[in-house]
Amino acid sequence: MLSISTSTQGERIRSLFRDASEATIIAPFMKIDALHSILKVIPKSAPIRCVTRWIPSEVAARVSDPKILDILREREAYELLLVDRLHAKLYIADSECLVGSANVTLAALGETPGESNIEVLVSSSTNDPGVRQTLADIESEATTATDQMAETVLRMADALMDFESPPPNQTWHPFSRKPEDAYRIYSIRHSSYMTRAERVLLRDIALADLRPGLDEESFRYSIRALLTAIPTASAILSAPNDELITRADATVYLKSIRTDDFDENDLWLAFVKWMSHFFDDKVMIQEISEIALRKAVVIPIR
């Protein structure tokens, strides 16, 4: 006859870790209260490795919390790694592990009465080929989390609260007209005062869901990829010949993303500025009866 366990996923995880000589906790979402409930059963001398991801929109939604770094510092030996593409959930004690769907949140651990998620965790080991491959993939992409990264992502999460949120799945589009300051705003330490223009720029960066800690070249590459996904940008960048695009050409698209704070003209001017800044090797601003964007090839001076 099938035996049904009444223990929570949290109890199963704590049971796995109780006598561990080393522990690894891998999940995209980690909250302080849930992580603390696991850490308290792991011997203080056991090294802890946590692997998660910090995405501004997820931190703003309160499903993940960069402040877990503070409680990990209470350990004798710890490591906190970030992996942007992480979706796996693994709990590893020495060579034994649980693999499944449960994140490190009280709802996922089954410890919020009446609101707990339906989750699954299956016993396995680090000798399993699938587990080995997942650990290898994580190792190849992981970045060590720092205080500045935590501060950056918390700043961007806060910025998402300041303005009207875009509809779900809407293509990213910048609102700020100061793209030349984008990397500076992204990378600076916390400031208690920001102008409205700086807050709009920070919101643009936050909505891009960039991970913290990018160098300037990686930041530029990520922004170029996001701009390329905008229909008007794709049209001019893929044009085989010289092409001139005006606001009239983008009217339908601009109307679809306008807000109470930013009309079609605001959005067009922002788009032109970001394109000419991040694609200065491909396009240039052209002023005719109105501001337009022209495809161009920049010839370096030798």
Side-chain angles (χ1 to χ4, degrees):
M1 187 177 194
L2 180 66
S3 175
I4 300 178
S5 171
T6 57
S7 64
T8 66
Q9 304 294 5
E11 288 168 346
R12 293 187 65 204
I13 292 167
R14 288 189 288 271
S15 177
L16 172 73
F17 282 134
R18 207 169 300 276
D19 298 313
S21 59
E22 59 180 21
T24 299
I25 302 169
I26 300 171
F29 300 160
M30 289 193 186
K31 297 295 297 279
I32 287 180
D33 46 7
L35 182 60
H36 180 71
S37 76
I38 296 171
L39 293 181
K40 68 183 181 181
V41 305
I42 303 174
K44 277 282 188 181
S45 58
I48 302 287
R49 168 182 268 204
C50 287
V51 184
T52 189
R53 72 186 189 208
W54 290 345
I55 304 298
S57 60
E58 294 172 351
V59 174
R62 296 184 172 84
V63 296
S64 195
D65 191 348
K67 292 181 181 178
I68 59 171
L69 193 52
D70 295 334
I71 64 167
L72 284 170
R73 283 202 184 89
E74 299 170 6
R75 306 293 306 188
E76 292 179 13
Y78 74 92
E79 186 176 27
L80 178 58
L81 302 176
L82 304 178
V83 177
D84 290 357
R85 297 192 302 126
L86 184 68
H87 194 264
K89 294 91 176 174
L90 288 89
Y91 300 87
I92 306 172
D94 304 318
S95 62
E96 294 183 65
C97 66
L98 292 170
V99 182
S101 66
N103 279 292
V104 185
T105 67
L106 291 181
L109 299 186
E111 296 174 351
T112 51
E115 298 179 8
S116 294
N117 300 340
I118 297 174
E119 307 281 4
V120 61
L121 289 172
V122 177
S123 297
S124 186
S125 82
T126 53
N127 294 320
D128 179 89
V131 172
R132 281 205 312 269
Q133 183 61 57
T134 298
L135 293 176
D137 291 342
I138 287 171
E139 198 68 34
S140 69
E141 296 191 23
T143 302
T144 300
T146 66
D147 284 327
Q148 184 162 357
M149 289 180 183
E151 185 179 286
T152 296
V153 77
L154 285 167
R155 231 173 3 101
M156 290 194 286
D158 286 345
L160 294 177
M161 310 295 185
D162 288 345
F163 297 92
E164 178 184 352
S165 297
N169 303 318
Q170 178 176 294
T171 300
W172 178 84
H173 186 104
F175 287 20
S176 166
R177 299 188 199 177
K178 301 287 287 181
E180 64 275 15
D181 291 335
Y183 185 72
R184 178 183 65 82
I185 291 293
Y186 163 80
S187 58
I188 60 171
R189 300 302 296 263
H190 176 70
S191 172
S192 57
Y193 174 76
M194 296 183 77
T195 65
R196 175 177 167 80
E198 288 174 329
R199 289 190 296 111
V200 172
L201 179 54
L202 182 59
R203 176 194 182 270
D204 284 341
I205 298 166
L207 284 172
D209 264 348
L210 305 180
R211 70 169 175 84
L214 294 175
D215 59 32
E216 190 163 4
E217 183 179 354
S218 300
F219 178 86
R220 183 178 178 84
Y221 177 85
S222 298
I223 294 295
R224 280 172 67 111
L226 288 165
L227 287 168
T228 301
I230 296 173
T232 310
S234 178
I236 192 168
L237 292 173
S238 62
N241 303 307
D242 184 32
E243 183 80 17
L244 183 71
I245 290 184
T246 67
R247 193 183 77 182
D249 298 312
T251 296
V252 174
Y253 167 67
L254 294 172
K255 281 183 179 295
S256 72
I257 62 170
R258 64 165 296 160
T259 69
D260 292 339
D261 295 318
F262 300 92
D263 63 19
E264 292 93 327
N265 190 58
D266 294 326
L267 294 169
W268 173 248
L269 292 176
F271 170 72
V272 166
K273 294 258 189 180
W274 283 71
M275 287 294 292
S276 62
H277 180 75
F278 284 97
F279 284 100
D280 55 345
D281 57 332
K282 295 183 180 297
V283 300
M284 60 185 288
I285 293 176
Q286 175 107 32
E287 294 201 34
I288 43 179
S289 58
E290 62 174 315
I291 293 177
L293 201 63
R294 178 180 290 280
K295 184 170 183 179
V297 176
V298 176
I299 302 174
I301 299 174
R302 296 184 179 179

